[in-house]
Amino acid sequence: MQKTVVSQEQIAHQYEYMQFIARMNAQKAEVCGHKLRAFTQTFGCQQNEADTQRIAGMLDEMGYEKAESAQQADVIVINTCAVREHAESRALGNVGALSHLKKARPDVTICLCGCMVQQEHIPEKIKKSYPQVDVVFGTHALWRFPELLYRRLTGDKRVFDTSGDAAGYIAEGLPVLRDGGTKAWLSIMYGCNNFCTYCIVPYVRGRERSRDPQQIVHELEQLVAEGYKDITLLGQNVNSYGKDLDTPIDFSDLLVRLNAVPGDFLLRFMTSHPKDASHKLFDTMAACDKVAKQLHLPFQSGSDAILKRMNRGYTAAHYRELIAYARDKMPDLTLSSDIIVGFPGETEQDFEQTRALVDEIGFDMLYTFLYSKRSGTPAASMPDDTPHEVKQERFERLLRTQDERVQARQDAYAGKCLRVLVDGTSKGTEYPLTARTEGGLLVCCAGDGLKIGEFAQVRIEKTSLRCLFGRSV
Ligand code: 5AD
Ligand code: SF4
């Protein structure tokens, strides 16, 4: 299966649609006395946030101003997630609630996009039960959004485009509208080849495909020139970056090239996969001064039997070995992970192995999820006879273990001096600014000379479970 690189001619067509709409909008704006407005809402992961920024870039090019709420908007775009049922129900709930708005203002255009709608059964459901939705487009059609919106605005009743072959697309040259501030997402690849048995992502985002390294370097240079200082490289599995490219380059080589871009900035990346994370990667992280000593390495379960049924391709022992190596190379490494509790057939003993691993390793941050059945995935047809209450109790037990470990790790920072990037204001008066450490930990800070968007040295004065409190030195 070969990915499709969208030609520059096709991209130019999309710019033409954007210009058509911009002209239409300029005329409408004259009549109503203000620019037309667009509202976007995102569910799910950073990848989805990055996609919404591309949609926002196109909306901006089409002459829409940012609306603060759906009520104010002429166009509403809801970018959905399919990873867990909860995210789906929330998105559908929000769309349901928009039916009143649509009745009151039939001229508002409601668009639904992203992972949820790329699932086979969803378009039918929206056709039948959500008549207020005007445009539906899947992850593969994101780059065609201007054309789809144009069709709707010029008379098509409802526009559905959830086509696209699983190999997927790479589309370069479309606009991106970021939030400003210090942080930026930078997608380096799309899709996933791993087919973990619980996960819907490979079905809705297609196969792994890497962006050309030159394009990535160029985008990083632009971000640095625009003043972004905290840049996160995104991919479902960044450790397999480059495998599909003609250029012989892997993720570590890419990091070295990005680290060489001049400027004062930090590079983070997510997500890594224990099956593909290599010693070379950790050596490279240690050697690159702009690469944050931060690693998000999901292990999902501490039980080898469950890992096997999840099709994760590693054992708990391998995971331990990776962490030991990484910590040896980077003693200050900040570590986070994803865990699924209640995978089909998980026994008390399996769960205890997960909890023991959390206790042993000591993560700075943990993203813990209750297993959610996704139709079409292999795990959906595995026997699952553990009652919900049992899973819930395990989940809470795991959080207690994690909180104890985090408190101890946080306390250990008391009195230490840390380099932070000041990135916003906090609600507190005693420590009025927020910042992030190189490892991504939240610090509320106070003192002279602190400025949003700049790096500073702070001494940690006190700690809580979720926050460090520091003063500039
Ligand atoms: N149920 C619960 N959690 C899931 N994740 C992915 N699929 C599921 C599912 N079906 C979690 C994994 C992954 C994170 C992004 O979401 O832990 O790492
Ligand atoms: Fe899903 Fe596994 Fe791919 Fe992550 S690596 S997106 S969990 S299939």
Side-chain angles (χ1 to χ4, degrees), residues 373-385:
K373 185 171 170 172
R374 307 284 62 211
S375 77
T377 62
S381 48
M382 293 181 188
D384 186 6
D385 47 16

Side-chain angles (χ1 to χ4, degrees), residues 192 194-196 198-199 201-202 236-237 273 300 312:
C192 182
N194 289 314
F195 290 94
C196 301
Y198 50 80
C199 189
V201 168
Q236 229 60 246
N237 176 12
H273 195 304
Q300 313 296 357
R312 291 288 290 175

Side-chain angles (χ1 to χ4, degrees), residues 79 102 127 158 176 214 217 220 228 236 277 284 295 349 371 379 384 392 432 447 462:
N79 191 5
K102 185 76 177 176
K127 271 182 196 154
R158 300 181 86 187
V176 185
Q214 247 341 91
V217 171
L220 177 64
Y228 289 100
Q236 229 60 246
T284 307
L295 184 65
Q349 198 188 6
Y371 169 72
D384 186 6
Q392 187 65 37
K462 60 177 189 176

Side-chain angles (χ1 to χ4, degrees), residues 227-242:
Y228 289 100
K229 296 224 160 97
D230 189 338
I231 294 148
T232 304
L233 310 177
L234 290 181
Q236 229 60 246
N237 176 12
V238 292
N239 307 132
S240 49
Y241 173 80

